[in-house]
Amino acid sequence: MNLDKLKEKVDAAEVVEELIILSGKVFGKSNDDVKKIIEMFISKSYLMGKKNLVKVIED
């Protein structure tokens, strides 16, 4: 996949689920463990971002 196109699609994603679906397309031929790890990283990043946002607002 063209990295510029991938970056555009990542930037255009509005919800976490879109990123998970996109990662599935990019890593579709990889084994299930790779897909689960990528989904875990995306989900954890989202949760960390929410937590950090709340922390900033509280400060």
Side-chain angles (χ1 to χ4, degrees):
M1 176 175 266
N2 181 319
L3 288 180
D4 290 331
K5 283 186 179 181
L6 177 60
K7 183 177 178 347
E8 287 176 16
K9 289 181 179 183
V10 168
D11 290 343
E14 295 183 6
V15 293
V16 174
E17 288 82 6
E18 289 178 5
L19 293 176
I20 293 172
I21 292 169
L22 182 58
S23 69
K25 290 178 182 177
V26 171
F27 297 100
K29 295 181 181 176
S30 301
N31 65 28
D32 287 340
D33 288 341
V34 171
K35 293 177 191 175
K36 288 177 186 176
I37 290 168
I38 292 167
E39 184 174 338
M40 181 177 55
F41 278 121
I42 292 170
S43 299
K44 183 64 176 179
S45 297
Y46 170 75
L47 294 173
M48 288 172 69
K50 281 185 71 170
K51 183 179 178 182
N52 291 338
L53 178 63
V54 169
K55 193 174 185 179
V56 168
I57 291 173
E58 288 176 352
D59 291 345

